[in-house]
Each structure stands twice: as C-alpha cells, then as structure tokens.
Amino acid sequence: MKQTEFFIGQLAKHTNCKVETIHYYEKTGIMPKPPRTEGGHRIYSLSDAKRLKFIRRSRELGFNIGQIKELLKFIDESGHYCGEVKTMAMQQTIEVQKKIDDLLRLKKALNEVICECKGGGYSIDDCPIIDALYVEKQ
Amino acid sequence: MKQTEFFIGQLAKHTNCKVETIHYYEKTGIMPKPPRTEGGHRIYSLSDAKRLKFIRRSRELGFNIGQIKELLKFIDESGHYCGEVKTMAMQQTIEVQKKIDDLLRLKKALNEVICECKGGGYSIDDCPIIDALYVEKQ
DNA sequence: GTTGAACCTATAGTAACTACAGGTTTTATA
DNA sequence: TATAAAACCTGTAGTTACTATAGGTTCAAC
C-alpha cells in the first residue's frame, strides 16, 4: 500500500471521526464507495481525506447532510456559481443569529430569576422564567 | 366541557405543536397525564397550554428534554429553598452561555468565509467559502 | 503459522419527534 | 335518534446523524 493510500482506521484518525461515521457517510452517499483490497478492506486516498474534512467542518457549522450534499455538488459537478454557495452560507448565519438572540433573551430571563430569588417556589402563574419564555408569536 | 378545558387537538393548535408530539411529551414525563373523559379523551387546561408553550419555546432554544425537566422543576417543585433555585438557575445560565459562545464562534466562522466571497456568477473554483471548508487547515 | 489488531456487515439503540394503521369516541346534522 | 365524519385512542415504525454491539474475516507482524 502506497503512502498516499490508507485504510478506514487511518482516515478516521486523521479526520477525528469514528469509523462507523465514515461507513454511515458512505451509506448516505456523501462519501464515495472506495476501491477495496482483495479481502474487502476499503482503500482511501488523500482526496477522500480532504472530502471528509470538508464534511466534518460543514457539520460543525451546522449544515445537515442534505445541505452538505448540495455543497458537494458545487465541487463534484461543474456549472455551479459562487453566488449559490454564498446564499447558503448567508442563510445559515441568519439561522444562527436567530438562535443567539433567543438564547440571550433566555439568559436575561434566568438572570432576572436569580436576582429576584428570595425564597419559596414560584407557581406556574407567577414564574419569571415561564413569563420570559411565554411569548406569543405570530 | 368548559371554555377553559379542551381536547388535545385544540391544545396542539394553540401551541403550534403536533398531537403526536404532545403524546410524546406525556411519555417522557414533561407533560402531565391529564384527566380523561369517559371515553378516554385527554382533557387539558389553560395551564397545560402555558406549560406546553414553555416546553416548545425551550426546545426552540436548544434545550433537550432533560434540561427542560430541570427548568420545569422551578415550577413543579415548590419545596425548593431559595439557594437551591438560585443554584439551578445559575447552572442553567452557564449552559446557556456555552451555547451562545458556540453559536458566536460558528457565526464568526461563517462570516469570515462569506466576507471573502464575491458571490454572483463567479466560478466555483474561486469560491472562498468552498476553499475555507475544503482546504487543509492547521 | 499463529496471534491480535483492524477490518467487514448487519442490526439495534439514541433523541426528539413524525407518520401511519386500525380501532373508538365525540359531535354535528338529518 | 341515527348516522357519518372528524377527532381521538394506542401502538408501532420511520426519520436524522450518528454510536454501539455482535459475530465473523483479513491484515500484518512475529
């Protein structure tokens, strides 16, 4: 086996990823079905490692497998444009910002509870946490 | 049936939640086992609706069922001492802050990548977003 | 040639739902 | 009052993105 080829365990180690996760990625189709040894062991290349790192990083950034499939199409197929990618990334930041805003509100609410807390329990009709979260939405 | 009581379908509608999800919440114990009609239909009250809204909102904020159980203790268990409640609330804020930090990092990463991207009809081969995710990083 | 690590496939389990099947209750209308 | 449709019931299976386990095979070093 050449130095640029390796088995799944090595790939897993290099990408900080479990072997089973790579199997799973293969099943979903975002990782390719690689060539095998006579005995059936998967043989990976450096570009497989690169692809897997891309997948892991994208997952960290909150993209799901479906979205990563879309992103990988940009790489795998020609004829796509940068704007498509930017749009997806921007959509992602909007989602993230929404979550941050919500959490900041929750944190504020919890802090208020901490400050107001002088003993005894709150009833469901008079709980500052409940109130903080009980926001009607349209 | 009084105006302050309703069946699961109405509760679901009011809380923007599926009937099956309410069943599920009951199974996990974060929603109570409500009284039933002769025929076995669940009867809910306004405070159940309030509780469910709280749960839904907390879920939106990224709390899991276990954490929501903790939050609900503020409401359900009246026998807590002030210090105990305070500790729980403070622990919860730490969790919230962690989530905020994670999301801020994520947003920063996305932004860095977006800012470098010209977008539009540029070729994918030049897209800094793809590059940022795809290229080897130390 | 043997051993042990690493690999293989297949299945089941996880969280937090969601969907469906097959049956019962409620309720509005004829 | 009878009936029909909507809403409810329970229970099971499917979803996503993994993770864990079982039981068996291959690789590679000694």
Side-chain angles (χ1 to χ4, degrees):
Chain A
M1 183 160 270
K2 302 168 213 163
Q3 276 209 306
T4 53
E5 291 183 334
F6 32 91
F7 289 150
I8 200 165
Q10 286 299 308
L11 179 61
K13 200 170 282 177
H14 283 319
T15 50
N16 207 27
C17 180
K18 301 247 163 85
V19 167
E20 292 87 352
T21 307
I22 302 173
H23 286 161
Y24 172 72
Y25 288 156
E26 188 180 316
K27 213 159 53 185
T28 64
I30 56 174
M31 280 298 283
K33 283 183 190 295
R36 305 271 187 133
T37 61
E38 291 272 296
H41 284 28
R42 290 167 176 83
I43 302 170
Y44 289 104
S45 68
L46 284 173
S47 86
D48 291 322
K50 207 168 167 184
R51 186 183 185 91
L52 183 51
K53 277 180 190 166
F54 173 82
I55 291 167
R56 297 301 286 172
R57 184 127 178 69
S58 303
R59 288 285 302 125
E60 273 173 26
L61 295 184
F63 291 99
N64 63 34
I65 302 279
Q67 292 171 317
I68 294 172
K69 254 181 202 165
E70 294 300 303
L71 287 172
L72 285 168
K73 264 190 207 165
F74 298 144
I75 295 160
D76 294 338
E77 302 170 1
S78 54
H80 289 284
Y81 297 103
C82 200
E84 292 178 68
V85 183
K86 194 171 187 173
T87 304
M88 275 182 75
M90 280 163 68
Q91 190 52 49
Q92 199 61 28
T93 22
I94 291 167
E95 295 300 314
V96 170
Q97 187 57 58
K98 266 188 212 159
K99 280 188 193 142
I100 292 170
D101 291 345
D102 280 348
L103 286 170
L104 286 172
R105 250 185 318 145
L106 176 67
K107 195 186 148 200
K108 199 177 151 218
L110 279 165
N111 272 333
E112 276 164 19
V113 169
I114 291 165
C115 295
E116 280 177 38
C117 186
K118 286 174 183 151
Y122 295 99
S123 101
I124 193 151
D125 300 318
D126 188 30
C127 175
I129 304 179
I130 290 283
D131 287 348
L133 292 169
Y134 183 62
V135 183
E136 294 292 338
K137 271 194 176 179
Q138 1 279 39
Chain B
M1 182 160 274
K2 301 168 212 162
Q3 278 209 307
T4 53
E5 291 182 336
F6 33 90
F7 289 150
I8 200 165
Q10 286 298 309
L11 179 61
K13 199 170 283 178
H14 283 320
T15 50
N16 207 25
C17 180
K18 301 250 163 85
V19 167
E20 292 88 350
T21 307
I22 302 173
H23 286 161
Y24 172 71
Y25 288 157
E26 189 180 316
K27 212 159 52 184
T28 64
I30 56 174
M31 280 298 284
K33 282 182 191 294
R36 306 271 186 133
T37 62
E38 292 271 297
H41 283 28
R42 289 166 177 83
I43 302 169
Y44 289 104
S45 68
L46 286 174
S47 85
D48 290 322
K50 210 167 168 180
R51 186 185 185 91
L52 183 51
K53 276 180 190 166
F54 173 82
I55 291 168
R56 296 300 288 169
R57 188 114 181 79
S58 303
R59 286 287 304 126
E60 276 174 24
L61 296 184
F63 289 97
N64 62 36
I65 303 279
Q67 292 171 318
I68 295 172
K69 258 181 198 163
E70 292 302 303
L71 285 172
L72 285 168
K73 275 188 195 167
F74 288 121
I75 300 148
D76 295 338
E77 298 175 13
S78 52
H80 284 294
Y81 292 107
C82 186
E84 215 181 332
V85 177
K86 233 174 191 162
T87 305
M88 278 173 70
M90 281 160 72
Q91 189 52 51
Q92 207 57 40
T93 9
I94 291 167
E95 294 298 314
V96 172
Q97 188 57 58
K98 267 187 210 159
K99 281 200 191 110
I100 292 170
D101 290 344
D102 279 351
L103 288 170
L104 284 173
R105 260 202 305 277
L106 198 159
K107 195 187 143 201
K108 200 178 151 215
L110 281 166
N111 267 336
E112 275 168 14
V113 128
I114 287 165
C115 290
E116 282 175 44
C117 184
K118 297 182 290 270
Y122 290 92
S123 157
I124 212 81
D125 301 323
D126 268 347
C127 180
I129 298 177
I130 293 289
D131 274 4
L133 292 169
Y134 201 64
V135 165
E136 227 47 64
K137 264 195 181 176
Q138 245 63 306

